[in-house]
Amino acid sequence: MQIVILDTPQQVANYGADRFADQLKHKPDSVLGLATGSTPIALYSALTARVQRGELSFANARTFNLDEYLGLAGSHPQSYRYFMNEHLFQHLDIALANTAVPDGATDNPLAACDAYEAAIQVAGGIDLQLLGIGRNGHIGFNEPSSSLASRTRVKTLTPDTVKANQRFFADGEFQPHLSITMGIGTIMEARQILLLATGQSKSAAVRAMVEGPLAARCPASILQMHPKATLVLDRAAASQLEDVAFYQYIEQENQRLPGV
Ligand code: GLP
């Protein structure tokens, strides 16, 4: 794992935008895996600004989102499809037909999960997958105890995740406890992974991911097995790591080595 520790959440977002820009310049028809949550919003703003300045184009890209609430149609303001349209897609030069989010309104979730897996394969697999991390170490909606080899499927959310995401729902509003999520095995097939984490509330999960054992208890710990995973953290998210000085030393050394 490459561990990059930056001072502020904005620097984390800018680093992420640079990685997406490099990917699209190198391969304009990249297949990008995208994520929702509060963390990527600043990254999406940075990407939007670059597209609107004419520095970057998504015109030939395809995207696949990690997950969606089961029971919410894409027109629902709390659905992840709606979130993506609002925060990213409608500001980019990408056709909505080239953006995929699992269908939360499907009446056949099992078939929808299989079709999602197949669509990723037909697109050629994911070149760069963006991830956030839940406070309990989840990636996508793969909660603790998820099989580390899992594929796209229906998952029950933990009470902690439901509570963490309650802030987006109005009092008394229906909040799904089920989701469709790419599996951990699906995520691990991405050629490169970029995980962003900011804020103190993520520091325990970040420590378990980086310095804990590989365990279904912390789904993000599977990234220890990925050959090209970059974790971009702000100081608060990195605050419980034991070996910060070593990670920073490695980064300094990497900058001196061309092509690393
Ligand atoms: C949700 C999403 C995850 C996301 C996580 C953290 O549960 N399913 O993909 O990484 O929340 O979100 P936030 O960035 O808001 O902390």
Side-chain angles (χ1 to χ4, degrees):
M1 290 181 292
Q2 182 190 11
I3 301 162
V4 179
I5 301 170
L6 301 171
D7 288 332
T8 66
Q10 189 57 52
Q11 288 174 338
V12 170
N14 293 343
Y15 187 102
D18 286 346
R19 278 292 297 274
F20 272 86
D22 287 349
Q23 177 65 36
L24 284 167
K25 276 172 193 152
H26 161 73
K27 187 180 176 195
D29 60 349
S30 288
V31 180
L32 304 171
L34 298 178
T36 52
S38 305
T39 311
I41 291 177
L43 162 65
Y44 292 159
S45 299
L47 291 173
T48 295
R50 291 180 193 208
V51 168
Q52 291 179 352
R53 288 198 300 264
E55 298 166 10
L56 185 63
S57 174
F58 283 73
N60 296 310
R62 298 206 47 185
T63 70
F64 288 88
N65 261 76
L66 283 168
D67 49 12
E68 178 59 285
Y69 287 114
L70 189 56
L72 297 190
S75 55
H76 190 289
Q78 305 314 332
S79 72
Y80 284 171
R81 160 55 78 182
Y82 192 95
F83 173 101
M84 291 305 300
N85 289 352
E86 286 290 303
H87 288 284
L88 191 64
F89 298 143
Q90 69 179 15
H91 309 291
L92 302 183
D93 54 346
I94 191 168
L96 275 187
N98 290 336
T99 69
V101 180
D103 179 8
T106 178
D107 51 14
N108 190 343
L110 296 186
C113 292
D114 289 348
Y116 205 68
E117 285 279 332
I120 293 171
Q121 294 302 322
V122 168
I126 292 172
D127 292 303
L128 175 63
Q129 175 67 57
L130 176 67
L131 296 176
I133 183 169
R135 300 189 302 202
N136 61 6
H138 73 218
I139 48 177
F141 269 137
N142 294 286
E143 298 284 31
S145 82
S146 288
S147 160
L148 298 177
S150 51
R151 312 303 307 187
T152 302
R153 70 213 183 291
V154 174
K155 278 299 289 180
T156 305
L157 308 184
T158 64
D160 184 60
T161 297
V162 172
K163 200 168 148 209
N165 290 344
Q166 213 164 32
R167 66 192 193 276
F168 298 113
F169 292 82
D171 275 353
E173 188 179 6
F174 166 68
Q175 184 184 354
H177 293 196
L178 294 176
S179 66
I180 293 179
T181 182
M182 273 188 209
I184 296 175
T186 319
I187 291 168
M188 286 294 283
E189 283 172 8
R191 294 179 188 96
Q192 298 175 66
I193 289 184
L194 180 67
L195 182 145
L196 309 186
T198 58
Q200 187 68 32
S201 67
K202 302 296 174 65
S203 58
V206 165
R207 181 173 180 190
M209 164 174 65
V210 176
E211 294 175 343
L214 176 62
R217 185 96 189 109
C218 176
S221 66
I222 191 67
L223 300 183
Q224 295 174 22
M225 297 290 288
H226 196 285
K228 286 194 175 174
T230 303
L231 318 181
V232 193
L233 315 172
D234 72 351
R235 290 211 171 270
S239 60
Q240 291 196 46
L241 291 175
E242 278 184 13
D243 290 331
V244 166
F246 179 55
Y247 308 139
Q248 289 178 321
Y249 169 71
I250 296 169
E251 273 306 289
Q252 280 165 14
E253 292 297 299
N254 283 349
Q255 278 161 22
R256 285 153 30 123
L257 296 171
V260 174

Coordinates of all heavy atoms in Angstrom, one line a residue, residues 66 117 120-121 125-126 129 131 139-143 146-153 155 181-191 193 214 219-220 222-223 225-227:
L66 N -20.0 2.1 -6.7 CA -19.8 1.0 -5.8 C -21.1 0.4 -5.3 O -21.3 -0.8 -5.2 CB -19.1 1.5 -4.5 CG -17.6 1.7 -4.6 CD1 -17.2 2.4 -3.3 CD2 -16.9 0.3 -4.6
E117 N -22.2 -7.1 -12.3 CA -20.9 -7.8 -12.5 C -20.6 -8.0 -14.0 O -19.4 -7.7 -14.4 CB -20.9 -9.2 -11.8 CG -20.9 -9.2 -10.3 CD -19.5 -9.0 -9.8 OE1 -18.5 -9.4 -10.4 OE2 -19.4 -8.4 -8.7
I120 N -19.5 -4.8 -15.8 CA -18.1 -4.4 -15.5 C -17.2 -5.2 -16.4 O -16.2 -4.7 -16.9 CB -17.8 -4.6 -14.0 CG1 -18.6 -3.6 -13.1 CG2 -16.3 -4.4 -13.7 CD1 -18.6 -3.9 -11.6
Q121 N -17.4 -6.5 -16.5 CA -16.6 -7.4 -17.3 C -16.6 -6.9 -18.7 O -15.6 -6.8 -19.4 CB -17.0 -8.8 -17.2 CG -16.9 -9.5 -15.8 CD -15.4 -9.4 -15.3 OE1 -14.5 -9.6 -16.1 NE2 -15.2 -9.1 -14.0
G125 N -13.3 -4.3 -17.2 CA -12.8 -4.2 -15.9 C -12.5 -2.8 -15.5 O -12.4 -1.9 -16.4
I126 N -12.4 -2.5 -14.2 CA -12.2 -1.2 -13.7 C -10.7 -0.8 -13.6 O -9.9 -1.6 -13.1 CB -12.9 -1.0 -12.3 CG1 -14.4 -1.1 -12.5 CG2 -12.5 0.3 -11.6 CD1 -15.2 -1.2 -11.3
Q129 N -10.3 2.5 -9.2 CA -11.5 2.5 -8.3 C -11.3 3.4 -7.1 O -10.3 3.3 -6.3 CB -11.7 1.0 -7.7 CG -12.8 0.9 -6.7 CD -14.2 1.1 -7.3 OE1 -14.6 0.5 -8.2 NE2 -14.9 2.1 -6.7
L131 N -12.4 4.8 -3.4 CA -13.1 4.3 -2.2 C -13.1 5.3 -1.1 O -12.1 6.1 -1.0 CB -12.4 3.0 -1.7 CG -12.3 1.7 -2.5 CD1 -11.5 0.7 -1.8 CD2 -13.7 1.2 -2.8
I139 N -16.0 -0.9 3.1 CA -15.8 -0.3 1.8 C -17.0 -0.6 0.9 O -17.5 -1.8 1.0 CB -14.4 -0.8 1.1 CG1 -14.3 -2.3 1.2 CG2 -13.2 -0.1 1.8 CD1 -13.0 -2.8 0.5
G140 N -17.4 0.3 0.1 CA -18.7 0.2 -0.5 C -19.7 0.0 0.7 O -19.6 0.8 1.6
F141 N -20.6 -1.0 0.6 CA -21.4 -1.3 1.7 C -21.0 -2.7 2.2 O -21.9 -3.4 2.7 CB -22.9 -1.2 1.4 CG -23.5 0.2 1.7 CD1 -24.4 0.8 0.8 CD2 -23.2 0.8 2.9 CE1 -24.9 2.0 1.1 CE2 -23.8 2.1 3.2 CZ -24.6 2.6 2.2
N142 N -19.8 -3.1 2.0 CA -19.3 -4.4 2.6 C -19.0 -4.2 4.0 O -17.9 -3.7 4.4 CB -18.1 -4.8 1.8 CG -18.4 -5.1 0.3 OD1 -19.0 -6.2 0.0 ND2 -18.0 -4.2 -0.5
E143 N -19.9 -4.6 4.8 CA -19.8 -4.4 6.3 C -18.9 -5.5 6.9 O -18.6 -6.5 6.3 CB -21.2 -4.5 6.9 CG -22.2 -3.4 6.4 CD -22.0 -2.1 7.0 OE1 -20.8 -1.7 7.3 OE2 -23.0 -1.3 7.2
S146 N -18.2 -9.3 6.0 CA -18.4 -9.6 4.6 C -17.3 -10.6 4.1 O -16.1 -10.4 4.5 CB -18.3 -8.4 3.8 OG -19.4 -7.5 3.9
S147 N -17.6 -11.5 3.3 CA -16.6 -12.4 2.7 C -15.6 -11.5 1.9 O -16.0 -10.6 1.1 CB -17.3 -13.4 1.7 OG -16.3 -13.8 0.8
L148 N -14.3 -11.8 2.1 CA -13.3 -11.0 1.4 C -13.3 -11.4 -0.1 O -12.6 -10.7 -0.8 CB -12.0 -11.2 2.1 CG -11.9 -10.7 3.6 CD1 -10.5 -11.0 4.2 CD2 -12.2 -9.2 3.7
A149 N -14.0 -12.4 -0.5 CA -14.1 -12.8 -1.9 C -15.4 -12.5 -2.5 O -15.7 -12.9 -3.6 CB -13.8 -14.3 -2.0
S150 N -16.2 -11.7 -1.8 CA -17.6 -11.5 -2.2 C -17.7 -10.8 -3.6 O -16.8 -10.0 -4.0 CB -18.4 -10.7 -1.2 OG -17.7 -9.6 -0.8
R151 N -18.8 -11.0 -4.2 CA -19.2 -10.3 -5.5 C -20.4 -9.4 -5.2 O -20.9 -9.4 -4.1 CB -19.6 -11.3 -6.6 CG -18.6 -12.5 -6.8 CD -17.2 -12.2 -7.1 NE -17.0 -11.3 -8.2 CZ -15.8 -10.9 -8.7 NH1 -14.7 -11.4 -8.2 NH2 -15.8 -10.1 -9.8
T152 N -20.8 -8.7 -6.3 CA -21.9 -7.7 -6.1 C -23.1 -8.5 -5.6 O -23.5 -9.5 -6.2 CB -22.2 -7.1 -7.5 OG1 -21.0 -6.4 -8.0 CG2 -23.3 -6.1 -7.4
R153 N -23.7 -7.9 -4.6 CA -24.8 -8.7 -3.9 C -25.6 -7.7 -3.0 O -25.2 -6.6 -2.8 CB -24.3 -9.8 -3.1 CG -23.5 -9.4 -1.9 CD -22.4 -10.3 -1.6 NE -21.7 -9.9 -0.3 CZ -21.0 -8.9 -0.2 NH1 -20.8 -8.0 -1.2 NH2 -20.3 -8.6 0.9
K155 N -26.6 -6.5 0.6 CA -26.0 -6.5 2.0 C -26.9 -5.8 2.9 O -27.5 -4.7 2.6 CB -24.6 -5.8 2.0 CG -23.5 -6.7 1.5 CD -23.2 -7.9 2.3 CE -22.7 -7.7 3.7 NZ -22.4 -8.9 4.5
T181 N -24.3 -3.7 -3.3 CA -22.9 -3.3 -3.3 C -22.0 -4.2 -4.1 O -22.2 -5.4 -4.1 CB -22.3 -3.1 -1.8 OG1 -21.0 -2.6 -1.9 CG2 -22.3 -4.4 -1.1
M182 N -21.0 -3.6 -4.8 CA -20.0 -4.4 -5.4 C -19.4 -5.2 -4.2 O -19.2 -4.7 -3.1 CB -18.8 -3.5 -5.9 CG -18.9 -3.0 -7.3 SD -17.4 -2.1 -7.7 CE -18.0 -0.9 -8.9
G183 N -19.0 -6.4 -4.5 CA -18.3 -7.2 -3.5 C -16.9 -6.8 -3.3 O -16.3 -6.1 -4.1
I184 N -16.3 -7.4 -2.2 CA -14.9 -7.1 -2.0 C -14.0 -7.7 -3.1 O -13.0 -7.1 -3.5 CB -14.5 -7.6 -0.6 CG1 -15.3 -6.8 0.5 CG2 -13.0 -7.4 -0.3 CD1 -15.1 -7.2 1.9
G185 N -14.4 -8.9 -3.5 CA -13.7 -9.5 -4.6 C -13.8 -8.7 -5.9 O -12.8 -8.6 -6.7
T186 N -14.9 -8.1 -6.1 CA -15.1 -7.2 -7.3 C -14.2 -6.0 -7.2 O -13.5 -5.7 -8.2 CB -16.6 -6.7 -7.4 OG1 -17.5 -7.8 -7.0 CG2 -16.9 -6.2 -8.7
I187 N -14.2 -5.4 -6.0 CA -13.3 -4.2 -5.8 C -11.9 -4.5 -6.0 O -11.1 -3.8 -6.7 CB -13.6 -3.6 -4.4 CG1 -15.0 -3.1 -4.3 CG2 -12.5 -2.6 -4.1 CD1 -15.5 -2.7 -2.9
M188 N -11.5 -5.7 -5.5 CA -10.1 -6.1 -5.6 C -9.6 -6.3 -7.0 O -8.4 -6.4 -7.3 CB -9.8 -7.3 -4.7 CG -9.8 -7.0 -3.2 SD -8.5 -5.9 -2.7 CE -7.1 -7.1 -2.7
E189 N -10.5 -6.5 -8.0 CA -10.1 -6.8 -9.4 C -9.8 -5.5 -10.1 O -9.2 -5.5 -11.2 CB -11.2 -7.5 -10.1 CG -11.1 -9.0 -9.7 CD -12.3 -9.8 -10.3 OE1 -13.1 -9.3 -11.1 OE2 -12.4 -11.0 -9.9
A190 N -10.1 -4.3 -9.5 CA -9.7 -3.0 -10.1 C -8.2 -3.0 -10.2 O -7.5 -3.4 -9.4 CB -10.2 -1.9 -9.3
R191 N -7.7 -2.4 -11.3 CA -6.3 -2.4 -11.6 C -5.5 -1.5 -10.6 O -4.4 -1.7 -10.2 CB -6.0 -2.0 -13.0 CG -6.6 -3.0 -14.0 CD -6.4 -2.7 -15.5 NE -7.1 -3.7 -16.2 CZ -8.3 -3.5 -16.7 NH1 -9.0 -2.4 -16.5 NH2 -8.9 -4.5 -17.3
I193 N -6.4 1.2 -7.0 CA -7.4 1.6 -6.0 C -6.9 2.9 -5.4 O -5.7 3.0 -5.1 CB -7.6 0.5 -5.0 CG1 -8.4 -0.7 -5.7 CG2 -8.4 1.0 -3.8 CD1 -8.8 -1.8 -4.8
L214 N -5.2 -8.7 8.5 CA -6.1 -8.9 7.4 C -7.3 -9.7 7.9 O -7.1 -10.8 8.4 CB -5.4 -9.7 6.3 CG -6.2 -10.1 5.1 CD1 -6.7 -8.8 4.3 CD2 -5.4 -10.9 4.1
P219 N -13.2 -4.8 6.7 CA -13.2 -5.2 5.2 C -12.1 -4.4 4.5 O -11.4 -5.0 3.6 CB -14.6 -4.8 4.7 CG -15.4 -5.0 6.0 CD -14.6 -4.6 7.1
A220 N -11.8 -3.2 4.9 CA -10.8 -2.4 4.1 C -9.4 -3.0 4.3 O -8.5 -2.6 3.5 CB -10.8 -0.9 4.6
I222 N -8.4 -5.7 3.5 CA -8.1 -6.5 2.3 C -7.2 -5.7 1.3 O -6.4 -6.3 0.5 CB -9.4 -6.9 1.5 CG1 -9.1 -8.0 0.4 CG2 -10.1 -5.7 0.9 CD1 -8.6 -9.3 0.9
L223 N -7.2 -4.4 1.4 CA -6.3 -3.6 0.5 C -4.8 -3.9 0.8 O -4.0 -3.6 -0.1 CB -6.6 -2.1 0.7 CG -8.1 -1.7 0.4 CD1 -8.2 -0.2 0.5 CD2 -8.5 -2.2 -1.0
M225 N -3.7 -6.6 0.4 CA -3.4 -7.6 -0.6 C -3.4 -7.0 -2.0 O -3.2 -7.7 -3.0 CB -4.4 -8.7 -0.5 CG -4.5 -9.5 0.7 SD -3.0 -10.5 0.9 CE -3.3 -11.8 -0.3
H226 N -3.7 -5.7 -2.2 CA -3.8 -5.2 -3.5 C -2.5 -4.6 -4.0 O -1.8 -3.9 -3.2 CB -4.9 -4.1 -3.6 CG -5.3 -3.8 -5.0 ND1 -4.5 -3.0 -5.9 CD2 -6.4 -4.1 -5.7 CE1 -5.1 -3.0 -7.0 NE2 -6.3 -3.6 -7.0
P227 N -2.0 -5.0 -5.2 CA -0.7 -4.5 -5.6 C -0.6 -3.0 -5.9 O 0.5 -2.5 -5.9 CB -0.4 -5.3 -6.9 CG -1.7 -5.8 -7.4 CD -2.6 -5.9 -6.2

